[in-house]
Each structure stands twice: as structure tokens, then as C-alpha cells.
Amino acid sequence: HGGDAPSTGLVRDPVCGMSVDPHETKHRAYHDGVPYYFCSDGCQTKFVADPRRYLDDKPQLFFNDTATTEIYTCPMHPE
């Protein structure tokens, strides 16, 4: 999730776990020089208030969830 994102990959919102396109979202924040991407202003606000709550020592991995047919909507998303 952190760092430069692959041009075709999605990253995981560290607050809610939703898939986010880092090239399309306007919700982003930096922590310790690493960019993090969010599905909504609500998730970004929560992260900025307490980033350590949403981070762990595990590496943040990029993923592509195109194989799944499930659609997840973040409860913080306004639409």
C-alpha cells in the first residue's frame, strides 16, 4: 500500500481495507515519508489523526482484486 504504486494496480486503504486506485483518488496522506491512499475523506481523516493505529510491522502489499466478483463499499464513503 505504501510507496509508489504499480501503474495498473490497486492499493488497500489502511483504515477500511477497500481497494483504491492511487492514480484516481484525491484522498492521500504521508506518514514517515510514505504515501498512503484512501477511499474517502473520512478514512483519510482517521488515519491522519492516529496513523500508528492503522499501521503494523507487516509490509504493505499491492494487490489486484480483479479476480473477485464481490464489490466492497467502505462505510465511510459518502456515496
Side-chain angles (χ1 to χ4, degrees), residues 16-31:
C16 70
M18 186 172 169
S19 300
V20 178
D21 183 337
H23 302 287
E24 297 293 325
T25 186
K26 63 181 179 178
H27 307 290
R28 58 190 75 202
Y30 287 83
H31 178 69

Side-chain angles (χ1 to χ4, degrees), residues 42-72:
C43 284
Q44 179 184 358
T45 300
K46 283 184 170 187
F47 180 85
V48 169
D50 188 8
R52 298 224 183 267
R53 177 178 177 185
Y54 302 102
L55 301 177
D56 55 26
D57 294 331
K58 297 175 190 171
Q60 299 293 317
L61 302 176
F62 297 101
F63 68 96
N64 184 341
D65 64 352
T66 57
T68 182
T69 58
E70 296 177 11
I71 298 174
Y72 175 79

